[in-house]
Amino acid sequence: MLTPMSTFWQLLTDEERLALSRTGRILDFTAGQPVIRELDQERWIAVLLGGQARVLVGPAARVVAIRRAGDVVGELAMIDSDPRSATVEAAMRVRALVLSVDQYRSVVEARPRIMQLVLRVVAQRLREADRRRGDDGQHLRTRFASLLIEYVDDYGIPDQQGIFVPITSQADVASVVRASRGSLAKVLSQLRRQHVLSTVRGAFVVHDPDRLRDLATSR
């Protein structure tokens, strides 16, 4: 049976989670409220403990990624002192554990494995960004299938009906794959007719992951 890939928070040991929780503070964000603002100079890191957030870039605030409970955000602030490269906005009510750079370093000095996990997150996200840039010339259906398989592997929840993949909205997913909402709707309609997936409020349900993987590698 398929199991979701462990998130950053899940990969920590109980002791590491406790140390971070005791050092940081819990903040709640309402839907639409920025967790992090692009170009801000503030340097802190946050772990989403509940809810989902969208990552926005540029003047048009294009959605380029979705972050979920267990994900770390603001991780580059732990590596360099450059301004924030993106806005992270709560897509619904979000609860986050927030640590300043100094707080984070005080924990990591005694627990270097935490930094190794953060660097793993950075490397994974760089690979994802490179892969999506490489997908630019591909058909929309291929780009969408590739993204959805990524979500299935990282966040998919097995269910009697299929693999449940939570999303913030179909409009956000369309933005991530660089398509209009209408164009994505046509692709979803095709995949529903082929019984590859179905859509429910706030999620996709994948019924045929093997077929979806085939579509993700088609040219």
Side-chain angles (χ1 to χ4, degrees):
M1 178 180 293
L2 175 75
T3 55
M5 186 184 111
S6 296
T7 64
F8 168 78
W9 190 245
Q10 291 169 330
L11 288 171
L12 298 172
T13 65
D14 290 343
E15 192 278 332
E16 289 166 343
R17 283 192 290 269
L18 182 60
L20 290 170
S21 298
R22 285 178 170 172
T23 305
R25 56 180 177 149
I26 301 293
L27 295 179
D28 290 315
F29 301 86
T30 58
Q33 183 178 1
V35 179
I36 290 171
R37 292 182 185 273
E38 188 174 5
L39 301 181
D40 263 4
Q41 295 283 354
E42 290 182 304
R43 299 180 65 212
W44 45 269
I45 190 169
V47 181
L48 305 185
L49 302 179
Q52 296 186 72
R54 51 178 65 93
V55 181
L56 313 168
V57 298
R62 184 173 77 86
V63 180
V64 296
I66 299 170
R67 301 291 178 234
R68 299 166 176 81
D71 283 343
V72 61
V73 297
E75 70 280 356
L76 292 180
M78 304 300 105
I79 300 171
D80 62 34
S81 57
D82 290 346
R84 298 291 193 182
S85 59
T87 292
V88 179
E89 176 188 274
M92 57 186 68
R93 185 175 181 83
V94 165
R95 171 159 289 190
L97 172 65
V98 177
L99 295 92
S100 69
V101 170
D102 290 341
Q103 289 175 324
Y104 171 80
R105 286 176 176 165
S106 71
V107 175
V108 170
E109 282 178 2
R111 302 164 187 84
R113 180 178 171 276
I114 298 176
M115 173 57 88
Q116 294 173 7
L117 292 177
V118 170
L119 291 176
R120 183 192 298 185
V121 169
V122 172
Q124 179 183 358
R125 290 176 180 173
L126 286 173
R127 283 194 295 271
E128 290 171 359
D130 287 343
R131 183 165 58 249
R132 288 177 191 164
R133 279 194 292 269
D135 289 346
D136 279 346
Q138 295 180 341
H139 190 278
L140 172 57
R141 188 178 65 177
T142 303
R143 298 202 305 271
F144 171 70
S146 178
L147 178 70
L148 188 53
I149 280 296
E150 182 182 304
Y151 287 172
V152 164
D153 291 342
D154 289 356
Y155 302 104
I157 304 168
D159 183 82
Q160 291 181 346
Q161 296 180 343
I163 302 170
F164 186 84
V165 180
I167 60 170
T168 52
S169 71
Q170 291 185 19
D172 286 348
V173 173
S175 179
V176 173
V177 295
R178 301 169 301 284
S180 68
R181 176 68 183 84
S183 296
L184 180 62
K186 292 178 181 178
V187 170
L188 292 175
S189 179
Q190 293 171 355
L191 296 178
R192 280 194 293 263
R193 288 197 302 270
Q194 296 169 4
H195 306 291
V196 176
L197 58 74
S198 57
T199 55
V200 297
R201 184 176 179 84
F204 297 123
V205 183
V206 177
H207 305 297
D208 191 343
D210 291 336
R211 173 60 176 154
L212 191 65
R213 289 183 192 279
D214 288 342
L215 293 172
T217 57
S218 63
R219 300 297 176 185

